Amino acid sequence: MDDTAFLEEVAERLFSLGGAEAVAVGGSRAQGTARADSDWDLAVYYRGAFSPQELRDIGWEGHVSELGEWGGGVFNGGAWLTIAGRRVDVHYRDLDVVEREVAEAEDGRFRIEPLMFHLAGIPTYLLAAELAVNRTLRGELPRPSYPAPLRRSAPAQWWDRADALFSYARSGHAARGRVAQAVGMSVEAATCAAHAATAARGVWVTNEKTLLERTGLHEVLDGCVRHVGEDAVAFVDAVARHCEDAVAAARADVSDPSPR
């Protein structure tokens, strides 16, 4: 079965689940950057009652979570599956929650929620970002543009978080010789700074995988880590300075104000 037929078959099965109103493909498969071994990210948008047991009953190999099992926030569960020899991630998306968070983002409001495998957590406007960049396979979904109020509010909120983390990394860990903690917290802070820079430019972010590269901070951060040595305070200061410069440059970048 080729990829096109595979995707059509899986989308149709997901769309047949009770409560499902739309199915979308995301990640590299939606953005045309997938490698041969890239997994498949699919989202089931449902309204009202939704039963993960129906997904289990299809019989695909893998783990299917309950609703709320992945933390109970906006990223409220899903499945890790192997279908026809391909790795497939399925995400549950409650349309009532999606519509609420899109409305919040349009007014410039959001929260940052913890989520496994994410250094800085996820902004609740991730749900709007997914709608903007994913490809709808079944049903109908809106495609929001980056809201101007969010572009004004998000950079400050992310940078305040980064600045506080750098401060504690410096005084709470680096100054006391706790190098590992200082490095770990600085990386988290740099990730927050990258969120601030992308928000300032009106660029949607759906995950952290390439976030540092997209803001020019990945190479800088790797270089700092390689030379941390015994001077953890100098390391934190160097990373913080580069991050502050990146965010300032993003805020000053008005050559192309259109959101992406």
Side-chain angles (χ1 to χ4, degrees), residues 41-65:
D41 294 305
L42 294 164
V44 179
Y45 289 83
Y46 65 90
R47 182 88 64 184
F50 179 79
S51 171
Q53 187 59 47
E54 283 192 49
L55 179 55
R56 293 190 192 98
D57 290 344
I58 294 175
W60 288 325
E61 177 187 350
H63 173 73
V64 177
S65 84

Side-chain angles (χ1 to χ4, degrees), residues 27 42 51-52 57-58 93 97 104 110 122 124 134 155 165 174 200 229 234 246 248:
L42 294 164
S51 171
D57 290 344
I58 294 175
R93 292 291 179 264
V97 174
E104 287 287 286
F110 70 100
I122 59 169
T124 50
N134 289 359
L165 286 165

Side-chain angles (χ1 to χ4, degrees), residues 75-174:
F75 217 98
N76 70 330
W80 297 317
L81 305 170
T82 300
I83 306 172
R86 298 166 171 89
R87 292 177 293 114
V88 179
D89 294 342
V90 177
H91 302 147
Y92 309 149
R93 292 291 179 264
D94 184 333
L95 277 167
D96 290 338
V97 174
V98 171
E99 290 167 358
R100 182 192 71 211
E101 296 304 337
V102 170
E104 287 287 286
E106 288 173 347
D107 289 334
R109 295 189 296 270
F110 70 100
R111 304 178 311 285
I112 300 170
E113 297 182 347
L115 184 66
M116 190 178 294
F117 312 129
H118 289 69
L119 287 166
I122 59 169
T124 50
Y125 60 76
L126 175 143
L127 299 183
E130 289 180 334
L131 291 173
V133 304
N134 289 359
R135 179 161 58 91
T136 304
L137 303 173
R138 296 290 188 277
E140 295 183 2
L141 293 169
R143 188 173 293 275
S145 57
Y146 207 104
L150 185 65
R151 192 170 177 178
R152 290 191 294 269
S153 66
Q157 186 168 330
W158 279 113
W159 177 250
D160 286 349
R161 192 180 182 96
D163 195 37
L165 286 165
F166 279 130
S167 178
Y168 196 85
R170 183 184 300 108
S171 61
H173 293 306

